[in-house]
Amino acid sequence: MAIQKIYISTNLQADLESEIEGRNPGNIFILTDSTTKKLCLNQLGESILSKAKVIEIPAGDDHKNIESLASVWLYLSNNNATRKSLMINLGGGMVTDLGGFAASTFKRGMDYINIPTTLLGAVDAAVGGKTGINFNGLKNEIGVINSSKSVIIYAPFYKTLDHHNFLSGYAEMIKHGLISNQKIWDDILAFNLNNIDFDRLPYMIKESVEVKEEVVKIDPTEKGIRKALNFGHTIGHAFESYAMKQGNPALHGYAVARGMIPELYLSFKKAGLSKDILREGVSLIKENYGSFFISCKDYDKLYELMTHDKKNEGDGRILFSLISGIGEVKININIEKQDIFESLDFYCDSVGI
Ligand code: GLY
């Protein structure tokens, strides 16, 4: 998979202009959702807006579906898009995933670039080439791995995020800290989430994105080490789906942060993680992300959800990515049901429910 160019931009319009000039596309389409259109589209600048056609889809993950995708294909088809066209995806993970998939499949593929407008998108969804839509009630069920040509990360967008959405993105940065090295983990622990230093944020984002890039470079199609990026997600996705089924959806990063608590425990119990790191991780998450209310009556349903995890291999085992230290990742670790339940007990005890 081609390497993506990543900009940590201080001048969005200039960087976008130079990307477009360098690529010399036939025609340009900007995909955005209804909310992002109002808040961010103008910041691309008149010179680009005058050259591009804007495609708008409804906001929200429930619209990351075949209907929205078909509407994008239809627009492209009716507006003379070709393989030489360029798609610019402006939005959060929903837009970059769906737009990346639309661009990758239209006439068997046109170039696209991502401009993530959420912190979660910047440090995760927009980077690494995963694209797709939800289907048949399952998240990201259909898609391809095909990298955007570039990702333009413009940190001023994240100043206007509400605190919950900021923390949702920061959860993936916590994960990147745990799977990378002591320096990055120390930076994560030192960053004050109650008084965010927006001058330092671009540096923190850069550091975090580099962790993901390194992993993706080695294993773009997730045959092996890319599963490290799933730390916290086996239980986190189960929390997320369970909350959704109960009609009380949780932000993705909150579910992942809370999923990291039992997975840190499993790392301690099954992979030799030290108690000190377990404590550091749990207190950072507990202090900032609160609790997701579960009781032991929910464990079987959560377990059932974990059986659908994409890392499993269809033989009934549940496979985790765990850590034995900062930056020491073990993948494909089979954990038995009773240990998973014990980790959920640990979660309930830790967050005081
Ligand atoms: N979100 C994890 C990955 O891109 O592999």
Side-chain angles (χ1 to χ4, degrees), residues 124 127 130 175 212 222 226 229-230 233:
D124 193 18
V127 178
K130 283 189 180 173
K175 177 199 75 184
K212 179 159 185 179
E222 203 169 297
R226 186 162 181 170
L229 297 171
N230 257 275
H233 285 61

